[in-house]
């Protein structure tokens, strides 16, 4: 009877549905702690505010520092280019063997020196902590938080290890040759097997016994505002070898380096940083982390442990955002929603609710239709009712409250996705749809008329003068609705399933909660939810 008690509690808000306790409010549906909102709602936005005095300082310093630093950067790159050319001469872009011998011994120390000179010329004052592990101790470096293109400082500080880079980057004049000198693991956007090949190459190099240079990976896979550590991708942890975490901090009063999806552009950040007297950065090499046997077979577990250690050392929380959240942000912006509306903590949602990116992206389209007329890209009770073509009633408020997980009176996209998956889709099975169709088909002729449809919805929602002609026309292709039409609509709009199942469960529980001497027939007849054969109806509901 526990399910009946829960259903009765949910239905207690229906007018006239109380069982002797007027005004009874249902308890809130238990929330899984794992679905609580993240401690940092949006790690992909950076808003740097500057006062008038700071702007004047940047203007005056920029007149002097900007041209000098830009000239020095260009000069150092030109000086590094011939050494990078010597290092990679006669070598293919995609290396099959490591660069060794005199070329590496001569060019590597010079390139390291020029790397330090490059960042010094930009105004960076680098503080290094900890000890850099040798290749045999830790074949892989993992650096976080990744917040800017200036994070290349970690590569220089670590002694120019290999990095993971796109094929297109090595085609850029001057810069491309410098990248090739790092012996990068190249990723192709056009190759469907690129992800698998990249992982295989990382594994091959990491397990080469020191023949290849160490590999530096930014496991977050995208830039954040350093307010948290987002999901670590498992690529760097798949080889099952020891890794050395690298922490990056920028302890400056004015943040001119953070490069996120919402904030300053590449050119703006370069200009702002070059106009500062200096920019402080701390690079800390943590102790090497060795995977245990379980973590060797489960790289996600290894990545999670390393992320927790790094977050604890940084004093920041962790969230389950990932690069796919950024893609959803872009899609939300294209749908005229605020970009942050697309954030759902993709890693957690996809894993726990068994949803893929395409499925969530489709739900974003549906969400945008509802929220397009609201301010801030959130759904209020009015928009929710308008979308369902139903009036604001107690039952609809209860359904809305089930979606509204933080009880702020509105539904964001994350709550919408969870609500559909947890509340509505499980109730939208073939059996439930069949029972719901029989519920509406009062005369059992295999079709639902508008009168039958209106009668049941009036009873379900407790609104005697309910007008559902618009909703009926959306379902029906003619004067009546067949089972296939009803099923097709129900599968496309799972929001309605919760309304129907709540009503059905309440009817069942109400019947079985009556004293033995009270017959259930009047209840069934008065609510018009079944044919005249009351005994058969009760049996059907018990099965349901």
């Amino acid at each position: 009877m526990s399910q009946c008690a829960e259903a009765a509690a949910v239905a207690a808000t229906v007018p006239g549905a109380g069982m002797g306790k007027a005004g009874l409010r249902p308890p809130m549906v238990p929330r899984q702690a794992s679905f609580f909102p993240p401690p940092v709602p949006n790690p992909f936005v950076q808003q740097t505010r500057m006062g008038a005095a700071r702007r004047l300082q940047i203007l005056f310093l920029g007149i002097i520092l900007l041209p000098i630093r830009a000239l020095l950067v260009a000069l150092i790159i030109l000086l590094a280019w011939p050494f990078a050319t010597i290092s990679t001469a006669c070598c293919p872009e995609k290396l099959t063997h490591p660069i060794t011998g005199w070329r590496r011994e001569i060019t590597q120390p010079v390139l390291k020196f020029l790397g330090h000179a490059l960042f010094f010329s930009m105004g960076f004052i680098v503080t290094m902590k900890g000890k850099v592990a040798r290749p045999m101790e830790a074949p892989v470096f993992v650096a976080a938080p990744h917040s800017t293109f200036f994070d290349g400082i970690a590569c220089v500080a670590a002694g120019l290890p290999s990095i993971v880079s796109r094929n297109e980057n090595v085609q850029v004049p001057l810069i491309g040759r410098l990248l090739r000198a790092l012996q990068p693991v190249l990723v192709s956007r056009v190759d469907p097997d690129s992800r698998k090949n990249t992982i295989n190459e990382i594994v091959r190099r990491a397990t080469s016994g020191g023949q290849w240079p160490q590999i530096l990976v930014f496991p977050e896979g995208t830039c954040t505002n350093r307010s948290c550590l987002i999901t670590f991708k498992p690529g760097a942890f798949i080889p099952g070898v020891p890794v050395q975490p690298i922490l990056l901090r920028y302890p400056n009063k004015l943040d001119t380096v953070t490069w996120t999806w919402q904030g300053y552009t590449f050119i703006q950040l370069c200009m702002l940083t070059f106009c500062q007297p200096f920019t402080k950065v701390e690079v800390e090499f943590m102790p090497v982390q060795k995977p245990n046997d379980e973590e060797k077979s489960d790289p996600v577990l290894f990545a999670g442990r390393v992320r927790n250690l790094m977050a604890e050392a940084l004093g920041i929380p962790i969230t389950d955002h990932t690069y796919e959240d950024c893609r959803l942000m872009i899609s939300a912006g294209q749908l005229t929603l605020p970009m942050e509306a697309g954030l759902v903590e993709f890693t957690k949602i996809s894993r726990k609710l068994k949803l893929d990116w395409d499925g969530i992206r489709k739900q974003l389209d549906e969400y945008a239709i509802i929220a397009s007329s609201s301010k801030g890209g959130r759904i209020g009770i009015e928009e929710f009712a308008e979308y369902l073509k139903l009036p604001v009633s107690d039952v609809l408020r209860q359904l809305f409250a089930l979606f509204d997980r933080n009880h702020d009176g509105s539904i964001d996209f994350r709550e919408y996705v969870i609500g559909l998956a947890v509340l509505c889709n499980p109730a939208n099975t073939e059996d439930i749809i069949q029972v719901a169709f029989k519920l509406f088909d009062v005369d059992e002729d295999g079709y639902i008329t508008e009168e039958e449809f209106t009668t049941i919805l009036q009873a379900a929602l407790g609104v005697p003068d309910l007008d559902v002609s618009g909703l009926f026309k959306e379902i029906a292709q003619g004067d009546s609705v067949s089972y296939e039409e009803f099923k097709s609509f129900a599968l496309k709009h799972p929001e309605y399933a919760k309304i129907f199942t709540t009503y059905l469960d309440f009817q069942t529980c109400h019947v079985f909660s009556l004293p033995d001497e009270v017959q259930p027939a009047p209840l069934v007849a008065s609510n018009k939810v079944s044919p005249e054969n009351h005994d058969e109806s009760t049996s059907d509901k018990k099965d349901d």
Side-chain angles (χ1 to χ4, degrees):
M1 291 296 292
S2 59
Q3 292 182 348
C4 292
E6 293 173 3
V10 171
T13 52
V14 180
M19 299 181 189
K21 293 184 179 181
L24 177 65
R25 296 296 299 174
M28 294 309 302
V29 174
R31 305 302 200 212
Q32 293 185 28
S34 59
F35 281 139
F36 283 173
V40 178
N42 187 359
F44 306 111
V45 62
Q46 174 63 22
Q47 296 177 341
T48 301
R49 292 181 173 85
M50 293 180 288
R54 177 71 71 172
R55 292 177 185 274
L56 285 174
Q57 178 188 5
I58 291 175
L59 177 62
F60 287 121
L61 289 177
I63 295 174
I64 302 172
L65 294 177
L66 183 60
I68 294 176
R69 285 176 171 166
L71 184 62
L72 287 174
V73 167
L75 180 61
I76 292 172
I77 291 176
L78 288 175
L79 286 174
W81 184 82
F83 291 95
T85 302
I86 294 173
S87 175
T88 58
C90 303
C91 294
E93 285 186 0
K94 198 166 187 178
L95 295 173
T96 56
H97 300 283
I99 298 175
T100 57
W102 66 268
R103 288 188 302 178
R104 181 168 176 81
E105 292 177 1
I106 294 176
T107 60
Q108 197 72 1
V110 176
L111 291 176
K112 288 180 183 179
F113 172 79
L114 291 176
H116 285 283
L118 177 67
F119 283 100
F120 179 77
S121 68
M122 295 179 187
F124 284 95
I125 298 178
V126 183
T127 302
M128 292 181 57
K129 300 179 180 180
K131 180 183 177 182
V132 181
R134 295 190 301 271
M136 294 301 293
E137 294 174 327
V140 178
F141 296 112
V142 288
H146 185 26
S147 62
T148 175
F149 46 86
F150 291 124
D151 286 343
I153 292 174
C155 184
V156 175
L160 299 185
S162 297
I163 60 172
V164 179
S165 180
R166 294 179 298 177
N167 267 334
E168 296 88 342
N169 293 339
V170 298
Q171 306 296 332
V172 179
L174 293 179
I175 303 298
R177 181 63 68 169
L178 297 177
L179 282 175
R180 288 180 58 188
L182 298 178
Q183 306 180 62
V185 177
L186 296 179
V187 179
S188 173
R189 285 183 169 183
V190 297
D191 183 4
D193 297 326
S194 178
R195 182 184 296 272
K196 181 181 69 175
N197 294 337
T198 301
I199 295 298
N200 291 338
E201 182 65 13
I202 291 176
V203 171
R204 184 171 74 93
R205 295 191 183 193
T207 56
S208 65
Q211 295 181 16
W212 285 89
Q214 291 161 287
I215 302 173
L216 172 64
V217 178
F218 294 94
E220 292 175 295
T222 189
C223 289
T224 69
N225 56 19
R226 297 190 300 280
S227 60
C228 63
L229 290 186
I230 64 173
T231 302
F232 277 14
K233 294 184 178 297
F237 305 91
I238 288 177
V241 297
V243 303
Q244 183 171 34
I246 302 176
L247 304 180
L248 296 170
R249 301 182 181 92
Y250 293 86
N252 302 287
K253 291 184 178 180
L254 180 65
D255 184 2
T256 64
V257 300
T258 301
W259 189 41
T260 56
W261 291 83
Q262 291 178 280
Y264 287 121
T265 64
F266 174 87
I267 298 297
Q268 289 173 330
L269 287 177
C270 285
M271 294 181 65
L272 285 172
T273 302
F274 288 4
C275 292
Q276 301 304 308
F278 57 86
T279 302
K280 293 186 290 185
V281 57
E282 295 178 0
V283 182
E284 180 180 349
F285 292 85
M286 295 182 67
V288 173
Q289 300 299 314
K290 298 180 180 180
N292 56 37
D293 292 338
E294 186 179 4
E295 290 171 339
K296 287 180 180 179
S297 58
D298 187 354
V300 174
L301 184 64
F302 188 22
R305 180 173 69 83
V306 172
R307 181 174 69 143
N308 289 337
L309 288 172
M310 297 177 74
E312 184 178 355
L314 290 164
I316 58 177
I318 61 173
T319 72
D320 286 316
H321 294 102
T322 187
Y323 173 68
E324 282 71 17
D325 284 286
C326 299
R327 296 174 62 191
L328 288 169
M329 282 179 61
I330 296 174
S331 299
Q334 294 171 344
L335 294 169
T336 68
L337 292 171
M339 290 185 68
E340 60 270 15
L343 297 175
V344 296
E345 281 195 297
F346 182 85
T347 301
K348 178 187 295 183
I349 297 298
S350 61
R351 182 179 68 248
K352 291 187 174 293
L353 302 182
K354 309 301 181 185
L355 298 173
D356 57 15
W357 191 88
D358 292 332
I360 296 180
R361 177 62 180 82
K362 183 179 179 181
Q363 290 180 355
L364 181 61
D365 291 333
E366 299 169 356
Y367 178 85
I369 295 174
I370 312 174
S372 58
S373 60
S374 63
K375 294 182 180 180
R378 301 174 69 92
I379 301 173
I381 184 68
E382 291 80 11
E383 291 84 13
F384 194 65
E386 181 180 355
Y387 171 71
L388 295 178
K389 294 182 173 60
L390 295 172
V392 178
S393 63
D394 287 340
V395 171
L396 195 70
R397 288 191 184 94
Q398 180 63 27
L399 176 60
F400 184 85
L402 294 178
F403 276 84
D404 181 16
R405 302 181 66 82
N406 60 357
H407 321 309
D408 64 351
S410 63
I411 301 172
D412 61 24
F413 179 56
R414 185 177 185 274
E415 292 172 326
Y416 179 77
V417 171
I418 295 173
L420 287 182
V422 175
L423 300 171
C424 297
N425 285 330
N428 217 28
T429 64
E430 179 82 20
D431 292 340
I432 292 297
I433 294 174
Q434 289 179 358
V435 172
F437 183 82
K438 291 178 181 179
L439 172 74
F440 283 101
D441 185 16
V442 177
D443 58 7
E444 297 183 331
D445 64 350
Y447 292 91
I448 301 172
T449 64
E450 184 172 348
E451 181 181 359
E452 292 172 329
F453 189 73
T454 301
T455 299
I456 298 304
L457 276 185
Q458 285 177 345
L461 297 175
V463 183
D465 56 349
L466 175 65
D467 181 11
V468 294
S469 57
L471 178 58
F472 181 81
K473 290 177 182 178
E474 186 171 330
I475 304 175
Q477 296 181 358
D479 296 333
S480 60
V481 178
S482 67
Y483 174 71
E484 291 301 324
E485 292 172 342
F486 186 83
K487 176 182 175 181
S488 176
F489 180 83
L491 292 175
K492 291 179 181 178
H493 300 82
E495 301 91 343
Y496 291 94
K498 193 64 181 177
I499 296 177
F500 299 149
T501 54
T502 296
Y503 182 60
L504 285 169
D505 290 343
F506 168 69
Q507 291 294 322
T508 303
C509 297
H510 190 53
V511 168
F512 287 114
S513 66
L514 291 175
D516 294 338
E517 63 271 13
V518 178
Q519 297 299 319
L523 170 70
V524 177
S526 64
N527 285 305
K528 300 181 181 180
V529 297
S530 66
E532 294 301 322
N533 190 337
H534 302 151
D535 294 336
E536 184 179 348
S537 171
T538 303
S539 175
D540 289 342
K541 289 180 180 178
K542 186 182 296 186
D543 292 340
D544 177 47

